[in-house]
Amino acid sequence: QDGYVLVAVFSRGPRGWHIEKLRYAPTWVQPGAFVVRLVGPSIDDGALPARMLDELRRSWHRTVRFVDARDLGVWPIRASSI
């Protein structure tokens, strides 16, 4: 149920294209309805039932712990805008 969407910002330099910024947005698939939710914006919105928000928080922590790339400059996206 946990996953992420990878967001890469490319720029063109004198020696060709390169990745300027790399981020990821944790996702969670809601069982039954199979709705894919962006975790950060869903938590921040707070409109979902408390039980689902708790699961989204656990999903966020599992995904961020799994990716573990902050030392490479790759951070999770929390806000709804990139």
Side-chain angles (χ1 to χ4, degrees):
Q1 291 175 294
D2 302 327
Y4 57 89
V5 175
L6 189 63
V7 179
V9 177
F10 292 87
S11 63
R12 190 173 192 166
R15 296 193 302 177
W17 290 93
H18 67 276
I19 296 175
E20 183 176 314
K21 182 166 57 170
L22 193 59
R23 300 289 185 263
Y24 65 97
T27 60
W28 179 74
V29 179
Q30 182 179 338
F34 299 108
V35 174
V36 178
R37 297 188 182 277
L38 288 172
V39 177
S42 295
I43 292 171
D44 293 343
D45 181 48
L48 297 170
R51 176 185 263 169
M52 191 177 293
L53 289 172
D54 287 343
E55 182 56 41
L56 286 166
R57 287 184 193 94
R58 288 190 294 273
S59 176
W60 174 272
H61 291 291
R62 286 189 302 262
T63 303
V64 171
R65 191 170 45 244
F66 176 80
V67 174
D68 189 26
R70 291 180 181 189
D71 59 334
L72 299 174
V74 180
W75 293 82
I77 298 168
R78 178 68 186 241
S80 57
S81 63
I82 299 173

